Amino acid sequence: MYSMSKMQVGFPGYRGMVGSVLQERMIEEGDFKEFDPIFLSTSQAGQPGPEVNGEPTVLADAYDIAALSGLDAIVSCHGSEYTEKVHTELRSKGWDGFWIDSASHLRNEPSSVLVLDPVNAGVIDKALEDGKKDLIGANCTVSVMLMGLAGLFKSGLVEYASIATYQAVSGAGSKNVIELLKQAGSLGSVVSEDLDNPAKTILEIDKKTKEHLISSDLPTDEFGFPIMGNVLPWIDSKVENGQSREEQKGLIETNGILGLEPDTIITDSLCARVGSMRSHGEALFIDLKKDLPMDELEEIIKSAHQWVKLVPNTKEDTLTNLTPVATSGTLEVAVGRLRKLNKGPKHLGAFVVGDQLLWGAAEPLRRALQIVISR
Ligand code: NAP
């Protein structure tokens, strides 16, 4: 039963990976008390939806434009194809509600604002004052990087950054997460008897492993390649200059989130998929505009917002706290390996790790909805 005073908020894509994390966070924070949720599916309309505040729900049809037109806000965790079809039709029919989205389709539209409010609350406020109603989550890798290093980037200290990424399989979708685990199991089973057999040499085990990784027995339907025991240094399609689309987003969306003109801060990325589950790691080599002492730089980074966790540059602290295993499932974004580079005192090295399903996808959307509701 919907209340008359509360906002009606639709959630297409709620059962996907990003949508599930979003739901989990909204339950944790008690968000569902603040609005009436309507869960929608493109494939399961009429079936039972999630229970909300102890009440059962029934899934609505995510393609029903007439029903969607009655909503105050839509938070889509579906893909770009869904956005392209449904958002276009809704807006062309005059729908004036808030569209909050995890897909990339609307990110570079002038009518959109990228949302990552611990970093760009001012940009979001200005966009809402200007009447913008499309609030779009940015690329996961860029969002995690800026959550870690907002202090540096917002203070105007960054002349240039080169970024090497180590990206979690969850960024490729739930089927890819399952494939990583299937590959791990498959590889382990091939050598399991050899591991405790003193008669087997490590070279024999290595040879068997390599043979299995390139054999058709390894499940590779999703990645097309081994991800277990491997690194895949290409994510998404090719664009200009030999870059992948994921790498291009690094430049465009860093400036976009910060509300800067294109190319104000130049970055170059080399993006690789690795076998971590939920958290991306990113190594940065930053040219600063001026030489500042390390303690000042650390303070600038640490004081940006409450979720930055500065990790001391020691082996033990790094291996305990600056890893995907340490950050996954938490809102903390760890920043460490901070040091002046051999190139000179205006050059800083850093490593950032954060849960890409939280700050890279679901959490900025959850908070964007909160901002919209609180206005
Ligand atoms: P996903 O897990 O593939 O889910 C998207 C939709 O696929 C679901 O809502 C569901 O829609 C349908 N679906 C079909 N079979 C399913 C199954 N077995 N289990 C669950 N859902 C199933 O997609 P996603 O990874 O959440 O990504 C959603 C959007 O967010 C994409 O545009 C993506 O680019 C973007 N994004 C993703 C990440 C990430 O880390 N994955 C990060 C940032 C942005 P119906 O109920 O309508 O069938």
Side-chain angles (χ1 to χ4, degrees):
M1 183 70 71
Y2 305 142
S3 67
M4 292 308 288
S5 54
K6 287 183 181 174
M7 278 179 80
Q8 312 276 295
V9 182
F11 292 92
Y14 81 95
R15 74 185 181 104
M17 194 147 57
V18 175
S20 304
V21 174
L22 178 65
Q23 266 191 78
E24 198 175 68
R25 283 289 299 138
M26 290 193 300
I27 291 167
E28 267 170 28
E29 298 291 336
D31 294 358
F32 287 124
K33 295 191 188 83
E34 297 168 30
F35 54 83
D36 289 326
I38 296 97
F39 298 98
L40 304 110
S41 171
T42 60
S43 62
Q44 298 192 336
Q47 294 189 29
E51 210 173 83
V52 174
N53 302 330
E55 297 283 330
T57 61
V58 175
L59 297 178
D61 178 1
Y63 288 130
D64 183 346
I65 297 295
L68 291 167
S69 301
L71 300 175
D72 302 299
I74 294 171
V75 182
S76 176
C77 296
H78 228 294
S80 278
E81 270 178 44
Y82 177 81
T83 301
E84 189 170 4
K85 180 174 165 51
V86 173
H87 175 273
T88 310
E89 202 174 334
L90 276 172
R91 290 290 189 228
S92 72
K93 292 194 167 151
W95 180 68
D96 195 28
F98 290 97
W99 180 275
I100 299 171
D101 200 339
S102 64
S104 60
H105 179 65
L106 293 171
R107 280 186 198 149
N108 300 324
E109 294 299 320
S111 52
S112 299
V113 59
L114 297 177
V115 288
L116 187 65
D117 71 284
V119 176
N120 73 346
V123 175
I124 298 170
D125 280 349
K126 167 85 171 54
L128 291 173
E129 274 159 28
D130 291 347
K132 290 190 180 179
K133 292 198 157 180
D134 293 339
L135 288 75
I136 316 300
N139 172 262
C140 50
T141 317
V142 182
S143 295
V144 167
M145 186 278 285
L146 279 181
M147 280 298 291
L149 295 173
L152 277 188
F153 278 81
K154 286 178 74 173
S155 64
L157 277 169
V158 178
E159 175 78 43
Y160 168 79
S162 98
I163 308 167
T165 74
Y166 307 80
Q167 297 186 214
V169 286
S170 60
S174 49
K175 290 179 180 166
N176 298 63
V177 175
I178 289 165
E179 187 162 281
L180 166 70
L181 298 172
K182 281 186 177 169
Q183 288 190 4
S186 165
L187 195 59
S189 67
V190 166
V191 291
S192 63
E193 285 178 9
D194 301 335
L195 299 182
D196 296 319
N197 179 355
K200 289 281 175 193
T201 69
I202 189 63
L203 287 187
E204 283 174 298
I205 294 171
D206 176 57
K207 186 164 178 282
K208 212 166 169 181
T209 307
K210 167 77 191 279
E211 279 166 4
H212 188 67
L213 283 173
I214 58 174
S215 80
S216 57
D217 294 336
L218 192 81
T220 57
D221 287 351
E222 303 305 322
F223 283 109
F225 297 91
I227 180 70
M228 185 63 213
N230 205 10
V231 171
L232 299 175
W234 193 289
I235 297 174
D236 209 336
S237 52
K238 184 173 181 177
V239 292
E240 77 277 9
N241 295 343
Q243 293 180 103
S244 69
R245 190 168 300 282
E246 186 77 359
E247 291 156 359
Q248 185 189 49
K249 286 175 184 173
L251 174 62
I252 295 174
E253 296 187 27
T254 296
N255 289 290
I257 291 170
L258 296 170
L260 301 172
E261 289 300 317
D263 297 346
T264 303
I265 301 175
I266 301 291
T267 67
D268 275 299
S269 300
L270 203 158
C271 296
R273 188 77 68 198
V274 298
S276 69
M277 294 287 284
R278 283 179 67 135
S279 289
H280 290 345
E282 306 183 44
L284 287 99
F285 302 91
I286 301 167
D287 296 351
L288 298 170
K289 288 191 180 153
K290 60 180 176 190
D291 174 16
L292 285 179
M294 276 309 292
D295 57 349
E296 263 184 58
L297 290 169
E298 285 177 2
E299 190 52 36
I300 289 169
I301 292 167
K302 193 170 61 179
S303 60
H305 55 75
Q306 70 187 91
W307 295 281
V308 176
K309 177 178 178 171
L310 217 56
V311 177
N313 189 23
T314 68
K315 181 175 178 180
E316 192 178 346
D317 285 302
T318 298
L319 297 183
T320 307
N321 296 313
L322 193 64
T323 64
V325 169
T327 57
S328 290
T330 82
L331 286 168
E332 279 180 339
V333 176
V335 182
R337 298 311 320 274
L338 287 167
R339 68 176 180 95
K340 292 289 181 80
L341 298 175
N342 298 336
K343 202 173 171 189
K346 284 167 59 182
H347 303 275
L348 181 72
F351 197 81
V352 177
V353 195
D355 187 321
Q356 69 89 26
L357 284 171
L358 286 169
W359 284 117
E363 193 65 9
L365 304 193
R366 189 187 79 77
R367 294 172 62 90
L369 179 60
Q370 293 288 316
I371 292 170
V372 163
I373 290 171
S374 66
R375 283 175 75 84

